Amino acid sequence: MKAVRSLFACCIISCLGVSSALCQQRPPATPLITHDPYFSVWSTSTNLTDSEATHWTGSPQPINGVARIDGKPYRFMGRLPGRRPDPVPAMQQTASSITPTHTRYEFTQDGITLALTFFTPAIMNNIDLLSRPVTYLTWSAKATDGAPHKVSILLEVDPVISVNERGQQVVTFRNHTSRLNVLSAGSRDQNILNRSGDNLRIDWGYFHLAVPKDEDATTVIAPHPAADFVATGKLADSDSIDMPQPAGRLCPHLAVVFDLGVVSAAPVKRHLLLAYTEGYAIQFFQRNLRPYWQRNDMPVEELLDLSENQYSALDAQGIAFDKDLTDDLIKVGGEHYAALSILAYRQSLAAHKIAADLNGDALMFPKENTSNGCIATVDVIYPSAPLFLFLQPKLLEAQLLPVLEYSALGRWRFPFSPHDLGQYPLANGQVYGGGEKSEENQMPVEESGNMLILVDALARAEGNARLAERFWPQLTSWAQYLKDKGLDPENQLSTDDFAGHLAHNANLSIKAIEGLAAYANLAHLLKHEDIATEYSSAAKSMAEKWVSMGIEGDHYKLAFNSPNTWSQKYNLVWDQILGYNLFPKSVRETELAYYMTKINKYGLPLDVRADYTKLDWSVWTATLASDPKQFNALIDPVYQWTNETPDRVPLSDWYDTKTGKHITFEARSVVGGVYIKALSDPKLTAKWNKWSGALGEALSAGHGE
């Protein structure tokens, strides 16, 4: 069976020009609907029928699919509630594939081949389109045995998708637009932006199942639509009217049945839209902000009709984007690197929410998933930044701007950068460590270096330093702090202190030194030449000292005062990409040669203290290699891990390099950091930056048309 699945997968993917590595990949979890930290639905099994769909947190959000072929029912998605084993047999899944904007499955049964596609138009040259909370589901059925077959398809959605937990009261209702029949579900109470935290689902706004009026479909809101369809091939004659009801298993589900009629060799297609709309998305210093797509008060019905009108054009655009990006990822890093990058693409974007400031500007807020749920965490923005610097720098600016605005407020009284803006979705001030009250468990060198490097990288991508000019006092304060404290950092937190606090951190020192070089370059861009000379000289002097402080025979130490230690020096990557040229090439070569002796089955450990590693930093370290053999030696085990990890969760960035088990982190935005290798290629970066800038503004002006 495994050989058959791989063969069919290659057949499906080859039309898109996707690599053979993707044909063979078994992702830890598969993205189905991925928009933001709340509207994020995944399959955690190889076969779509082996488990029910879940939110990224693991909380069930069942979406079930049944096909009737000549009167016989078969499941193609999910597991129906009730007895085990499931009384409805599963169709044979013969293929699956993931591209940047599409997830595809293929099934065969009784002479019929059924293709199911989830398409999320996460195309980053159009921020307006990217912010739309709409995913398309498409079916294509054809006969493969030369005989005609009567086929119908059911999809049902459990209304728990619209609340945090099953005990909450939900209401369901139906509407219609000019193009669509719409079934909706949402919480009775609609407590907008009512709480913050990590392991939470949204419980305000409404989920919508929207069916084109010309698709020959019937719909219902009823307790057992799948059971009715299995038994009779039909749905109930009437909707359930009693509401509200708790979102338990007996609560009315939203369901649609497509009658495909008699299917022969010519494919018969149907599609629908799944959406989630909420009137307000983020609270930013007590101001409730709308989702970006709704910044001009676009009604939900207009959003849905616009999305339906553009379905075919967007799908074609998505297919072209998938192929072009995949080809370039293979070109710059090989098939295994491309496979990692594609897995990271939608996940990284879906860990953010794009909101509209009061003036309509885009503000993008990452959520620190599988941690304490912080919002706009600087050491989350930093590792994910390569994705945005490569494909859409304006979205990095949209992430940095809220942090910079907060830093400029009188309430932030420290000479270093903040760590976060609060706890998602409430960005009302730092909650981590000492918050706004003390320096306890702050990350001064870490976050100040992060911000300076990213503001400089953004200035280069955008061709101007306007953001730096606007917040020059804050950047100056952070640069001065790094100049005083950065060479040999005190005992303070850094992003890698999973094994505890660490003083004299050599990799953290690299970040501080590069942060000074970033500030010097920004000063140069703003024609503050005296400042540029001063800080450039300071960075060069500190880099020279670092080399003598960190060397230990054939490698460099984890901490300056810790003999017989080592660590990944992934922060060195900016010295190459941004052209600071502070550290001798021999530093990278020495470290890489040493790393080759420390690689475990599933990758290079983060440092000497444990066998775990970080996915994002491993790719940054690999990008230091000028020798493709060294790059592949570091990337190939990571690719192997994605295929063999026993933990079926959205792509983790923290896992054990010997066992393959993930430690904690899941579904985080930081996996966007794997795009650092693509970013390191100047020609490719220039190509995609041009694509994002020229097309993005034009398309946004016309709502993506």
Side-chain angles (χ1 to χ4, degrees):
M1 181 62 68
K2 183 181 294 185
V4 171
R5 184 177 297 122
S6 294
L7 175 61
F8 273 89
C10 288
C11 290
I12 283 183
I13 301 173
S14 63
C15 66
L16 299 177
V18 175
S19 73
S20 60
L22 292 180
C23 297
Q24 301 160 5
Q25 194 169 29
R26 185 228 66 178
T30 301
L32 304 178
I33 304 168
T34 44
H35 288 278
D36 60 47
Y38 287 141
F39 196 30
S40 182
V41 183
W42 296 73
S43 171
T44 57
S45 55
T46 302
N47 293 313
L48 193 57
T49 53
D50 286 350
S51 62
E52 60 187 6
T54 68
H55 185 256
W56 71 260
T57 58
S59 183
Q61 294 189 333
I63 302 175
N64 296 316
V66 177
R68 286 178 65 96
I69 303 171
D70 297 325
K72 298 179 182 178
Y74 300 95
R75 287 179 295 118
F76 61 82
M77 181 174 181
R79 305 186 63 145
L80 303 189
R83 295 170 292 153
R84 292 292 179 266
D86 200 303
V88 180
M91 298 185 76
Q92 179 185 2
Q93 182 176 308
T94 51
S96 64
S97 69
I98 301 173
T99 61
T101 65
H102 292 79
T103 295
R104 295 179 173 87
Y105 291 93
E106 184 182 88
F107 309 89
T108 61
Q109 193 70 48
D110 293 355
I112 288 292
T113 293
L114 179 68
L116 170 64
T117 301
F118 294 81
F119 168 49
T120 298
I123 303 171
M124 293 172 66
N125 68 348
N126 185 338
I127 299 175
D128 191 73
L129 173 63
L130 183 65
S131 73
R132 289 186 202 168
V134 178
T135 286
Y136 302 91
L137 267 66
T138 303
W139 292 266
S140 178
K142 65 179 181 179
T144 55
D145 61 356
H149 299 276
K150 184 171 177 54
V151 179
S152 55
I153 293 171
L154 168 133
L155 187 86
E156 72 163 18
V157 182
D158 191 317
V160 75
I161 199 171
S162 66
V163 289
N164 180 51
E165 55 190 21
R166 286 205 175 275
Q168 292 181 267
Q169 299 285 325
V170 299
V171 296
T172 55
F173 53 92
R174 64 168 64 230
N175 298 101
H176 70 90
T177 71
S178 64
R179 296 289 306 274
L180 301 159
N181 291 314
V182 184
L183 308 182
S184 304
S187 69
R188 173 195 64 187
D189 299 327
Q190 291 295 307
N191 292 323
I192 297 171
L193 296 166
N194 65 95
R195 55 182 165 173
S196 63
D198 185 44
N199 188 8
L200 293 174
R201 276 67 51 196
I202 196 169
D203 57 5
W204 71 93
Y206 297 94
F207 170 83
H208 310 284
L209 189 162
V211 183
K213 291 180 177 179
D214 58 0
E215 290 281 28
D216 192 16
T218 56
T219 59
V220 76
I221 303 173
H224 310 290
D228 293 340
F229 180 70
V230 167
T232 68
K234 299 180 180 180
L235 297 176
D237 292 330
S238 61
D239 290 335
S240 295
I241 296 177
D242 290 338
M243 64 178 83
Q245 294 189 38
R249 295 288 185 180
L250 299 180
C251 184
H253 290 199
L254 314 181
V256 57
V257 168
F258 293 108
D259 184 356
L260 276 60
V262 176
V263 174
S264 58
V268 178
K269 295 185 177 182
R270 296 288 187 272
H271 78 276
L272 56 75
L273 289 66
L274 301 179
Y276 203 108
T277 60
E278 73 275 47
Y280 292 97
I282 297 290
Q283 188 172 96
F284 184 44
F285 292 102
Q286 313 307 322
R287 300 175 296 164
N288 289 351
L289 304 183
R290 290 194 178 278
Y292 186 73
W293 67 267
Q294 206 174 21
R295 66 195 180 282
N296 295 320
D297 298 319
M298 177 186 284
V300 172
E301 59 269 25
E302 185 177 335
L303 166 76
L304 294 176
D305 273 344
L306 179 65
S307 299
E308 169 60 16
N309 290 341
Q310 296 177 345
Y311 161 64
S312 296
L314 288 178
D315 190 46
Q317 186 180 347
I319 290 171
F321 168 74
D322 290 347
K323 183 181 186 307
D324 199 12
L325 180 58
T326 300
D327 287 347
D328 281 350
L329 292 170
I330 294 172
K331 185 186 306 180
V332 75
E335 293 186 348
H336 289 178
Y337 170 72
L340 290 172
S341 299
I342 290 168
L343 281 183
Y345 183 80
R346 267 179 283 164
Q347 173 174 313
S348 187
L349 291 174
H352 298 78
K353 185 68 176 182
I354 308 175
D357 204 352
L358 298 185
N359 62 1
D361 288 346
L363 298 178
M364 192 172 194
F365 296 89
K367 177 178 181 290
E368 193 173 349
N369 288 344
T370 336
S371 184
N372 65 339
C374 280
I375 187 170
T377 303
V378 174
D379 58 290
V380 168
I381 296 172
Y382 175 71
S384 70
L387 172 64
F388 302 99
L389 286 168
F390 184 62
L391 289 172
Q392 183 50 274
K394 289 184 181 300
L395 288 178
L396 178 58
E397 180 179 346
Q399 294 172 64
L400 296 177
L401 187 57
V403 178
L404 290 165
E405 289 183 346
Y406 176 41
S407 304
L409 296 176
R411 59 192 286 180
W412 184 256
R413 55 191 178 86
F414 302 110
F416 48 78
S417 168
H419 167 273
D420 63 83
L421 267 64
Q423 191 178 49
Y424 194 92
L426 308 181
N428 293 323
Q430 181 167 315
V431 297
Y432 189 78
E436 297 177 354
K437 297 180 180 180
S438 75
E439 295 190 24
E440 180 184 3
N441 281 338
Q442 299 274 14
M443 301 171 69
V445 172
E446 179 76 44
E447 309 300 29
S448 299
N450 289 342
M451 289 297 294
L452 287 167
I453 292 168
L454 293 183
V455 172
D456 184 33
L458 180 66
R460 295 163 186 256
E462 294 188 329
N464 67 77
R466 286 195 295 265
L467 194 66
E469 184 175 27
R470 178 178 170 187
F471 296 99
W472 192 246
Q474 286 68 47
L475 302 184
T476 298
S477 175
W478 302 341
Q480 183 61 53
Y481 185 91
L482 294 181
K483 188 178 178 183
D484 295 340
K485 304 282 190 179
L487 175 60
D488 192 5
E490 300 168 347
N491 188 13
Q492 60 181 243
L493 275 173
S494 78
T495 195
D496 295 333
D497 283 343
F498 307 114
H501 290 212
L502 181 71
H504 317 292
N505 187 321
N507 188 50
L508 184 59
S509 176
I510 293 172
K511 179 176 292 182
I513 296 167
E514 291 175 338
L516 293 181
Y519 179 74
N521 186 63
L522 292 167
H524 170 68
L525 294 174
L526 294 173
K527 303 189 184 308
H528 303 316
E529 296 301 345
D530 290 347
I531 296 174
T533 299
E534 175 188 352
Y535 278 84
S536 179
S537 297
K540 291 176 181 177
S541 174
M542 290 168 66
E544 292 174 359
K545 294 176 182 177
W546 185 96
V547 174
S548 61
M549 293 166 63
I551 190 68
E552 186 177 42
D554 59 353
H555 68 282
Y556 292 85
K557 291 177 282 190
L558 164 68
F560 297 131
N561 66 335
S562 300
N564 302 314
T565 61
W566 66 274
S567 65
Q568 291 190 37
K569 306 300 190 301
Y570 58 82
N571 283 319
L572 278 171
V573 75
W574 296 113
D575 201 40
Q576 297 172 262
I577 291 176
L578 298 180
Y580 297 141
N581 299 317
L582 297 168
F583 296 88
K585 184 180 179 182
S586 60
V587 173
R588 296 193 298 273
E589 293 174 342
T590 297
E591 284 291 90
L592 285 163
Y594 189 77
Y595 297 155
M596 295 299 109
T597 70
K598 299 297 181 181
I599 299 172
N600 291 330
K601 181 178 181 180
Y602 296 121
L604 177 70
L606 185 62
D607 58 52
V608 69
R609 293 176 291 179
D611 289 325
Y612 57 64
T613 197
K614 287 283 270 91
L615 170 63
D616 41 352
W617 303 147
S618 293
V619 180
W620 288 35
T621 295
T623 302
L624 297 174
S626 56
D627 181 354
K629 291 182 180 179
Q630 286 185 328
F631 177 81
N632 291 332
L634 291 165
I635 292 297
D636 291 349
V638 181
Y639 171 78
Q640 183 180 356
W641 164 74
T642 65
N643 284 279
E644 298 179 4
T645 174
D647 297 315
R648 306 305 298 271
V649 298
L651 190 62
S652 176
D653 56 286
W654 184 18
Y655 67 92
D656 190 288
T657 60
K658 289 185 176 178
T659 67
K661 291 188 65 64
H662 89 299
I663 307 298
T664 300
F665 296 156
E666 304 165 19
R668 284 157 46 94
S669 65
V670 303
V671 298
V674 303
Y675 281 79
I676 195 82
K677 177 63 175 175
L679 184 68
S680 72
D681 187 305
K683 290 184 178 180
L684 279 186
T685 299
K687 167 190 169 179
W688 286 99
N689 278 193
K690 182 178 180 181
W691 168 84
S692 68
L695 294 179
E697 294 181 6
L699 288 172
S700 291
H703 298 298
E705 296 180 284

